Amino acid sequence: MSSEPALTPADLAGYIDHTLLKPEASEADILTLCSEAVQHGFKSVCVNPIWVKTATKALRGSGVLTCAVAGFPLGATPTDVKVFEARGATLDGADEVDMVINIAAARANERGALVEDIQAVAEAVHGSSSILKVIIETSLLSHAQKVLACEAAVEAGADFVKTSTGFNGGGATVEDVALMRATVGPDIGVKASGGVRTADDARAMIAAGATRIGASSGVAIVTGASAAAGGY
């Protein structure tokens, strides 16, 4: 048994990307998300591209980052479209971009296609000095395909690998996070997302190797309140 003290709610807050990616989210919802992020000291808010300007303005001076998604939630858009979307998000103020890989390529073991897709987006994102996280959608991949996707992300210059969109079934598991950490090594971030709803969930993911937590239940995680079922 570890003798290290458990992470406190305040410690956990610094890992959390406070997330709202529902298509029906309103401006008022996004402003509430940003207010909560500032109040609790979350790492970032993660929103759809149309809300990046709103979030960036609301968070200005707070130290909370703005994260946008690209190719979300399916990853089944051409690379140049993902590049356009990611670059547009950074121009609107996104500090980070979470892109979805070409899942079909991962399932077909097409490493070259994966690397090309990710690398093009990485170059666009890094051109704005922003961070790229790569969503591999673990629930749709075999063990070997998860390893392949993580290796491709590292080769392509990604800053993080991420478990899930939260929209395609499944979510983060301790086993997947540990596999991803073992595959990418110590220098690449690992983001656990999908189904992380309690402080204990978050601590388990961090113990397995996660350096970021994506959750719509961030407030519940740091306060102990009940999280809504079915959230990101």
Side-chain angles (χ1 to χ4, degrees), residues 15-37:
Y15 286 84
I16 292 172
D17 290 348
H18 194 36
T19 301
L20 180 55
L21 295 168
K22 293 180 178 179
E24 70 272 22
S26 67
E27 181 178 22
D29 294 330
I30 299 301
L31 292 174
T32 296
L33 185 83
C34 293
S35 177
E36 292 170 344

Side-chain angles (χ1 to χ4, degrees), residues 155-231:
E155 182 178 342
D159 303 290
F160 277 76
V161 289
K162 175 179 170 181
T163 58
S164 318
T165 63
F167 283 74
N168 290 316
T173 67
V174 166
E175 294 76 16
D176 281 340
V177 169
L179 174 64
M180 294 165 73
R181 171 55 66 206
T183 303
V184 303
D187 299 326
I188 302 295
V190 175
K191 179 174 173 179
S193 61
V196 183
R197 298 191 178 94
T198 68
D200 285 344
D201 290 341
R203 292 186 186 105
M205 297 300 172
I206 293 165
T211 50
R212 197 75 69 88
I213 302 293
S216 59
S217 303
V219 173
I221 289 171
V222 299
T223 65
S226 296

Side-chain angles (χ1 to χ4, degrees), residues 68-201:
V69 292
F72 193 88
L74 302 179
T77 47
T79 298
D80 57 354
V81 176
K82 293 181 186 178
V83 168
F84 182 85
E85 188 174 27
R87 183 180 290 118
T90 63
L91 291 174
D92 284 345
D95 303 289
E96 302 182 339
V97 173
D98 290 13
M99 71 165 283
V100 186
I101 64 166
N102 179 340
I103 297 166
R107 288 170 64 97
N109 300 309
E110 295 175 353
R111 184 188 183 105
L114 287 171
V115 172
E116 290 176 9
D117 187 52
I118 299 165
Q119 188 172 49
V121 179
E123 290 172 355
V125 170
H126 292 158
S128 296
S129 300
S130 298
I131 294 296
L132 179 66
K133 308 192 203 86
V134 174
I135 306 170
I136 69 169
E137 202 67 284
T138 50
S139 66
L140 300 181
L141 303 181
S142 69
H143 181 283
Q145 291 161 355
K146 293 169 193 175
V147 171
L148 173 67
C150 287
E151 289 177 343
V154 174
E155 182 178 342
D159 303 290
F160 277 76
V161 289
K162 175 179 170 181
T163 58
S164 318
T165 63
F167 283 74
N168 290 316
T173 67
V174 166
E175 294 76 16
D176 281 340
V177 169
L179 174 64
M180 294 165 73
R181 171 55 66 206
T183 303
V184 303
D187 299 326
I188 302 295
V190 175
K191 179 174 173 179
S193 61
V196 183
R197 298 191 178 94
T198 68
D200 285 344
D201 290 341

